[in-house]
Amino acid sequence: MTRPRTLYEKIWDAHVVEQRPDGTALIFIDRHLVHEVTSPQAFAGLRATGRTVRRPDLTLAVPDHNVPTTARLDAAGNKLPIADPESAAQLAALERNAPEFGIRYIDAVAPEQGIVHVVGPEQGFSLPGTTIVCGDSHTACHGGIGALAFGIGTSEVEHVLATQTLLLQPSKTMEVRVEGEVGPGVSAKDIILHITGVIGAAGGTGHVIEYTGSAIRALSIEGRLTVSNMAIEGGARAGLIAPDETTFDYIKGRPYAPKGADWNAAIAYWKSLATDPGATYDKVVIIDAADIAPSVTWGTSPEDVVPITGVVPAPDSFADPSKQTAAAKSLAYMGLEPGTRMQDVAIENIFIGSCTNSRIEDLRAAAAVIKGRHKADNVRWAIVVPGSGLVKAQAEAEGLDRIFTDAGLEWREPGCSACLAMNPDKVPAGERCASTSNRNFVGRQGPGARTHLVSPAMAAAAAVTGKLTDVRELMA
Amino acid sequence: MTPLDKVEGRAIPFGLKNVDTDVIIPAHWLKTTTREGMGRGAFEAIRKDPENLFDSAEYKGAPILIAGDNFGCGSSREHAAWALGDLGIRVVIAPSYSDIFSGNAVKNGILPVVLPQTAIDRLMEVAATDPVFVDLEHQTVTTQFQDRFTFEIDPFRKMCLLEGLDEISLTEKSDSAIDAYEKQLDADRPWMRPAA
Ligand code: SF4
């Protein structure tokens, strides 16, 4: 009899190339996603040492962080130049490096282009039970389909390119179980914001979190990707959700997914990965789905979460003195007074997008709220940025783009956009943004920008009313 | 990577505590495509002052940097180590470092020496006028005034630095194990290869 194991332990065990006496192991990497920001120095390193990419077939490159989300082609179909010379240089480097090293490359103007964490699952390149890395901390996202996925630094990118392995220390395991049914207006984003509020931004440090329970099982793959995406905001290196029929239905038929007899073999294997009865986690957190409301952040850490019906907390309401100081600093940056009702906070910018919330279901949820309404006058800038060209095409086929543009929102080309201030989409200093992205850090959306993290439906509600709003009031 | 054993020369008596990676290399340098030339962005804000230590005739190109507690905290950017290396720094001496920074330093051939604050204070004094000697093999920092401080270092890191081994070269020693794993994977789970 083998010892009962968790999903994480099973994936780990299946990828050990070499166990070292000090407890570390050389781990095989099944999929390597590459984007333009963290890869140029890694490719330069390979070139300098005369190395090649060991497994180009397991590597997929796509530009996303720097690409502007305005039109990329002129009327004649020629590529428009990129204004920022540094962005242009990073994008050009990837365009050059991918063919030089024989790597699959999705060009910035290809129909499949998009945010790397949207593209991976969408192309069937990310599969359950695989190990996936990318030079980006939100790689945790792919845990939504049951892959062990985590972000790495540039030296590690080079290491994986050269050897298809990483030397790793096993993580501790943590179960976050969400039981019951969520109420109306409560989405996957609210679930993960709530979880982050409960466990704290460092609650999962040193752990890989497996999300379980009926509320997680009930989520679509889009929703599961949203949850796992923000595992890192709870301090965990990776998140995991056991693959099930929902996962198999999502993956079946995607371009890089197994086909024919392979498909049946794959399913049999994936089913064997579920955590065994009797397996134990190092830490367990249980959450009642009924406690989760549409949620919103008030501060500059993703753990600064309150229900939309709540108020801005007073710094001295926290027990921990260091949290008191941090909260006071956050409130000064955010320009908020303790006791203010969240629903009274006016919003000038709306961002619907990012690898957390830019898939078709997210856009449908936002459109359902916006439909037949118009953005408020005080909302200066409101953009909807689909996660990939395929999401964009699907949304357009469903007429969602028209719903947004009729309401006064802009419909953009796919990319990371205003999730991070690296491309032209930025929130001006001192202004607020209701954002469906994953980080409300100081300066994340632009120097001095004030971010409130929300779900797509909540962002849409804020666009309509011009302030943070309980979406349930617009749903009647 | 250039092996590192004995480093001697001027040490920049920088001494500040909680120097985060944003101070070492500001975020806008993340938009680069090479590791080289990053030294120009190193300590950019501090070096706006024409009187700064880094560009002074005395310390320009000095191979050693003396700093305070918690050096390299903040964002995990590896650019911080590249910037220091490009500036010519091979050794940092401080009471403590962020974990990620010290890992990145070693990966890039920079030795992070940990010494107590009292030793740092003395070295700051010496560095004002005279050179400092660092010997990795014997794990000592000495001066020409009979100061002798010993430091601890993880044996694996020490070996990597002494032999100039980067992690990739080390992993390449396991090449046959990786080959064997790949063969077995193709046999057990052929569907894992991305479909054509
Ligand atoms: S959308 Fe944001 S979090 Fe996601 S990959 Fe892009 S920059 Fe990173």
Side-chain angles (χ1 to χ4, degrees), chain A residues 227-242:
Chain A
V227 168
S228 197
N229 181 279
M230 290 184 67
I232 185 84
E233 305 314 329
R237 198 169 190 194
L240 277 171
I241 296 173

Side-chain angles (χ1 to χ4, degrees), chain A residues 65 115 117 136 138 354-355 416 419-420 438 444:
Chain A
H65 284 62
I115 305 170
H117 309 312
D136 180 284
H138 291 94
S354 90
C355 58
C416 293
C419 174
L420 90 173
N438 43 45
R444 172 81 178 183

Side-chain angles (χ1 to χ4, degrees), chain A residues 14 31 51 54 84 155 159, chain B residues 31 78 171 179 181 192:
Chain A
R31 298 289 188 267
R51 292 188 170 108
R54 183 180 177 103
D84 177 37
S155 279
H159 193 278
Chain B
K31 292 182 82 168
E78 199 167 328
T171 301
D179 282 341
Y181 181 92
M192 286 278 264

Side-chain angles (χ1 to χ4, degrees), chain B residues 34-54:
Chain B
T34 57
R35 281 179 190 167
E36 295 73 33
M38 197 83 43
R40 281 181 290 129
F43 302 103
E44 194 171 58
I46 293 172
R47 288 166 70 197
K48 288 213 171 102
D49 175 0
E51 310 272 277
N52 78 82
L53 284 175
F54 297 95

Side-chain angles (χ1 to χ4, degrees), chain A residues 14-15 18 20 28 30-31 40-41 51 54-55 57 84 87 90 155 158-159 165 256-257 269 422, chain B residues 30-35 78 82 168-169 171-172 174-175 177-179 181-182 189 191-195:
Chain A
H15 288 85
E18 217 172 57
R20 302 278 160 87
F28 191 75
D30 294 313
R31 298 289 188 267
Q41 286 92 349
R51 292 188 170 108
R54 183 180 177 103
R55 294 295 300 271
D57 60 321
D84 177 37
S87 291
Q90 283 196 335
S155 279
E158 186 178 337
H159 193 278
T165 62
Y256 295 118
Y269 179 73
M422 202 162 198
Chain B
L30 267 60
K31 292 182 82 168
T32 56
T33 53
T34 57
R35 281 179 190 167
E78 199 167 328
W82 302 340
I168 297 179
S169 316
T171 301
E172 282 170 346
S174 301
D175 220 26
I178 303 173
D179 282 341
Y181 181 92
E182 285 177 329
R189 303 195 287 279
W191 48 265
M192 286 278 264
R193 279 182 186 255

